[in-house]
Amino acid sequence: MKFLDEAKVYLKAGDGGDGVVAFRREKYIEFGGPDGGNGGRGGDVVVEAVEGLNTLIDYRYSQHFRARKGGNGAGSDRTGAGSEDVVLKVPVGTVVLDEDKETVLADLTEPGQRATLCHGGDGGHGNAHYKTSTNRAPRRADKGYPGEERWVWLRLKLIADAGLVGLPNAGKSTFLAAVSAARPKIADYPFTTLHPQLGVVRLNASEEFVLADIPGLIEGAAEGAGLGTRFLGHIERCAVLLHLIDGTQADPVAAWKTVRGELEEYGADLTDKPEILALNKTDAMTPQARASRIKALERATGRPVMLISGATGEGVPEVLRALADAVAADRAERAA
C-alpha cells in the first residue's frame, strides 16, 4: 500500500430540511388550524480514528465529502427525517488542520476518538410553530439552515515511542531491521528510505516500544533540500530520539551539528527531547578511530556517546535498554 501522510479534503455538512405550510383538513373538524411540521437536521461531518490504518491514501482520490440534506416537514405535524452523519475514518495519530495549515481542529491519538468538523444545519420551522392565540392561521414557514463547509488538511503523525534520526546512510534502516521485525529497504546509497517505517522492539515479555525510522536529513533540509523536513512530524510524539552517526566518516561532529541544526529549524521542540547519541558501524572502524571520534563527539556535545554496530549487534542491547528506560520514564510522567 502506498504511504501518504498528508491530504487536503473538502467537507460540507447537510443543510436543514424546510418547514412547510399545511392546515388540518378533516371531516367534522372545523377550523382545523395549522399543522405544518419542521424540517429535519442535516448530517454532520465527523472524523474518527480507527485501528488498522497507517496511511491517508484513501483521501488521495476522494477529496470531497458531503452529508445529505435533512428531510422536509409535512402536514399532520410531521417533522422531516434527520440525515446520517458522514464519518471519515483515519489512522490513529492524525491531526486535522484548518485550511491555513496552522489551526489545529482535532488531534486523534486514541482509537475511537471522534471530532465533529462540520455541523449540519437545523431544520426550518413549519407554520404550526408560529401558531399563537392572536395568529391562529400563520402562513409562515422557514427554509432549512445551511450546513457548515470548509477545506481541511489531514496530516498523519505516526504514534511511536522512540525515533531514529541521522544523515542518509547512517545505518538507521539496518538498526531497525536488527532490533524489530520490520523489513525496510537497505542499500548502500543515500535516501534508501523514502517514507517512515515503524518497528516494534520487544526487550522481554513485559517491555516493548515502537521505534520509528524516518528518511535521512541533509544540510538545508529545512529549505527543502533532499526530502526536506516533511517527515519530521512523525517523531514529534516520540519520547526519546536515537541519533545515529556514521562512524566511518571523517568528521562525525559535523554530521551531528548538521542534523541538530535541521531539527532546530523545524521547531516543534524536537531539540528539547531526550537524545541518545550512538556512533554506528563500529565493525568498520579501527580501535584508534573509535577512540578519537568518541572523544571528539563527547567534547562537542557534552554528553556520553555509545558505540554500536547494527550489522554485528555490538552495543545494541545497551542502546535498547537506554531507549526503553527513557520511554518508561515518559509513560510514568504522563500517567502521573
Side-chain angles (χ1 to χ4, degrees), residues 159-243:
I159 303 294
D161 299 306
L164 282 170
V165 296
L167 292 176
N169 268 18
K172 300 186 298 297
S173 296
T174 300
F175 181 83
L176 181 67
V179 301
S180 72
R183 290 295 173 262
K185 183 178 179 181
I186 300 172
D188 60 352
Y189 54 84
F191 298 112
T192 308
T193 301
L194 297 177
H195 55 79
Q197 302 277 348
L198 291 181
V200 178
V201 180
R202 291 186 173 86
L203 275 69
N204 50 54
S206 60
E207 288 184 292
E208 67 178 34
F209 60 90
V210 179
L211 183 63
D213 172 26
I214 64 169
L217 301 172
I218 63 174
E219 186 174 359
E223 285 76 42
L227 294 177
T229 57
R230 58 167 297 191
F231 295 116
L232 283 179
H234 296 288
I235 60 173
E236 286 184 22
R237 305 182 192 275
C238 294
V240 59
L241 300 180
L242 175 59
H243 190 161

Side-chain angles (χ1 to χ4, degrees), residues 245-300:
I245 301 171
D246 185 356
T248 61
Q249 60 184 344
D251 192 354
V253 174
W256 175 79
K257 290 181 177 179
T258 297
V259 174
R260 291 290 294 185
E262 298 307 321
L263 295 180
E264 290 177 4
E265 287 286 336
Y266 179 80
D269 298 327
L270 290 184
T271 54
D272 295 334
K273 292 183 179 294
E275 181 185 39
I276 296 174
L277 290 178
L279 196 63
N280 196 15
K281 303 183 182 180
T282 55
D283 54 300
M285 300 167 59
T286 64
Q288 295 80 5
R290 290 189 186 194
S292 63
R293 288 169 186 172
I294 281 185
K295 186 176 181 180
L297 268 175
E298 290 181 342
R299 185 185 305 116

Side-chain angles (χ1 to χ4, degrees), residues 8 11 23 75 80 90 145-146 163 170 199 204-205 211 224 264 284 293 299 302 305 307 314 319:
K8 186 179 183 181
L11 310 177
F23 293 90
V90 297
Y145 294 90
N204 50 54
L211 183 63
E264 290 177 4
R293 288 169 186 172
R299 185 185 305 116
V305 178
L307 279 172
E314 178 189 352
V319 169

Side-chain angles (χ1 to χ4, degrees), residues 11 25 64 66 98 133 148 152 165 177 234 254 274 282 309 333:
L11 310 177
R25 301 181 185 278
H64 294 77
R66 295 179 173 87
D98 205 356
S133 59
E148 296 177 342
V152 300
V165 296
H234 296 288
T282 55
S309 171
E333 183 179 347

